[in-house]
Amino acid sequence: MKITLEEAARMVADAQTVILTSHIRPDGDSVGSTLGLMHYLREQGKDARVLIDDEIPRIFGVLPGVEQIARPAEGARYTADLLIVCDVELKRTGAVLDAVDAVRVLNIDHHVTNDEEAEYLYLNPDDAATCEIMYDLIRAMDGGFSLDAATCFYTGIATDTGFFRFSNTTPHTMRAAADLIEIGVKPNIIAVAMEMKSYDEVMAQVRAIRNLEMFYDGRVAAVFIDEERAKDVTTTEGILDKLRVIEGTQVVFFMKWLEPDTYRVSMRSKGTNVSRIAQGFGGGGHIRAAGCTLHGSFDEAKKTILAAIGEELNR
Ligand code: 5GP
Ligand code: MN
């Protein structure tokens, strides 16, 4: 059931024990939104914790409290008044959903592809980031922002907008970020931390990008990372930023081997609806940024995704 921001704020304010979670393969917005709200709730004297069923990439070490994010332990049960699922629909939270006994479940998201399965859902696809929603949510609770919370929320807003460059950046996005900077967030520190890679990671990406392929008269640029190369390419963060700049490209993507017969696809576009393509394969996202998982042989998966993109380009 969709609810308003004020209703969501009331649910959050009414809960005493809160568990926050988000999607697997965590990004700045998922970590920032859960951790930031955790800080706020603790500052209100509540019992709040973050459970995410994945490793947290080390770039998020810059976020205060990140070491307190826990992965649900095998067979463990967790109880709470409220489970808040941030930046994703319920089904993409790994083992968390089954491990938590919560009186109520609230989903807070900005993905237009949200399946709306949650008992209570505050969805605002006009917001660039779930962290931008969190900013409004806390304002709706008449709350202020500690530096810890502000740092987390700023990070999610910055990363989901490509540091305020993507088309989802609005005056409201900038105002929220400006308020958070006023509290003391240092944009340069967040930017440097988010872009940090090891020498090996950079070199592995360079090798992957050297094999980039162009399709559809240069309208599509793609990097295919097979099982062999996937061993080296331990981070895909930033690869698509290198492809997006190629003049004439409409859609850029990578397909990366994940496990036998399973590949991760991540797409970016300049207006082509890549979320529709992703949804066709059980994935989702936003019009200009989406992802999905493909199965089968590498060559089949490559053909399948290229055909789907071609179809969308010609719509
Ligand atoms: P990325 O390409 O950075 O992994 O994801 C781009 C956007 O699409 C993000 O907002 C992300 O949450 C969403 N997304 C990526 N993969 C999936 C998926 O498999 N399912 C859904 N529902 N959304 C996805
Ligand atoms: Mn997000």
Side-chain angles (χ1 to χ4, degrees), residues 23 25 27 87-89 91-92 110-111 113 160 240 254 264-268 278 282-286 289-293:
H23 53 83
R25 276 187 290 277
D27 60 16
D87 196 41
V88 70
E89 59 216 11
K91 67 170 189 263
R92 223 155 57 84
H110 71 127
H111 290 93
T113 54
D160 264 25
L240 297 179
F254 68 74
R264 182 75 210 146
V265 170
S266 180
M267 298 176 278
R268 299 290 181 269
H286 310 283
C292 57
T293 303

Side-chain angles (χ1 to χ4, degrees), residues 21-286:
T21 191
S22 189
H23 53 83
I24 52 169
R25 276 187 290 277
D27 60 16
D29 196 27
S30 58
V31 178
S33 59
T34 50
L35 205 55
L37 191 55
M38 178 198 86
H39 286 301
Y40 173 79
L41 293 172
R42 287 185 179 177
E43 287 150 18
Q44 308 306 306
K46 296 177 192 289
D47 176 348
R49 62 181 303 187
V50 179
L51 288 178
I52 291 178
D53 189 20
D54 210 337
E55 297 280 314
I56 307 296
R58 67 194 175 91
I59 56 170
F60 301 119
V62 72
L63 298 183
V66 74
E67 70 289 344
Q68 295 172 43
I69 298 179
R71 220 176 155 154
E74 184 114 19
R77 308 288 321 158
Y78 304 84
T79 56
D81 298 336
L82 184 64
L83 170 67
I84 309 180
V85 177
C86 304
D87 196 41
V88 70
E89 59 216 11
L90 270 42
K91 67 170 189 263
R92 223 155 57 84
T93 55
V96 173
L97 208 60
D98 285 339
V100 175
D101 296 308
V103 180
R104 299 209 277 187
V105 178
L106 168 64
N107 187 190
I108 299 179
D109 193 12
H110 71 127
H111 290 93
V112 64
T113 54
N114 187 293
D115 64 9
E116 303 185 15
E117 290 287 319
E119 187 187 0
Y120 299 98
L121 168 66
Y122 178 68
L123 178 68
N124 190 350
D126 294 333
D127 274 321
T130 300
C131 283
E132 190 176 339
I133 300 179
M134 292 303 177
Y135 171 88
D136 288 334
L137 182 79
I138 288 176
R139 295 297 284 276
M141 293 189 284
D142 297 321
F145 300 90
S146 64
L147 181 56
D148 286 353
T151 302
C152 293
F153 295 144
Y154 178 89
T155 299
I157 294 174
T159 52
D160 264 25
T161 57
F163 285 81
F164 311 99
R165 288 175 303 153
F166 300 157
S167 61
N168 57 0
T169 308
T170 65
H172 179 269
T173 314
M174 297 294 246
R175 288 195 181 99
D179 279 354
L180 299 172
I181 291 171
E182 203 135 59
I183 286 152
V185 179
K186 297 277 180 281
N188 56 318
I189 291 177
I190 303 303
V192 168
M194 293 304 114
E195 289 178 352
M196 184 190 63
K197 287 182 187 62
S198 69
Y199 172 82
D200 288 344
E201 285 169 344
V202 170
M203 294 313 284
Q205 283 201 354
V206 167
R207 287 191 290 273
I209 292 169
R210 278 179 64 171
N211 291 298
L212 98 94
E213 295 178 55
M214 303 296 292
F215 302 92
Y216 300 113
D217 299 322
R219 285 183 293 163
V220 175
V223 165
F224 295 91
I225 304 166
D226 61 13
E227 181 172 359
E228 190 54 34
R229 281 207 206 105
K231 286 181 199 138
D232 286 352
V233 182
T234 47
T235 175
T236 49
E237 205 59 55
I239 289 184
L240 297 179
D241 294 329
K242 299 284 183 294
L243 304 193
R244 277 189 308 118
V245 300
I246 301 171
E247 201 175 358
T249 52
Q250 294 299 319
V251 175
V252 301
F253 74 99
F254 68 74
M255 182 180 108
K256 185 186 178 212
W257 184 90
L258 204 62
E259 54 186 53
D261 290 327
T262 308
Y263 316 93
R264 182 75 210 146
V265 170
S266 180
M267 298 176 278
R268 299 290 181 269
S269 91
K270 292 171 185 158
T272 307
N273 190 344
V274 289
S275 78
R276 187 157 46 205
I277 302 169
Q279 275 184 303
F281 301 106
H286 310 283

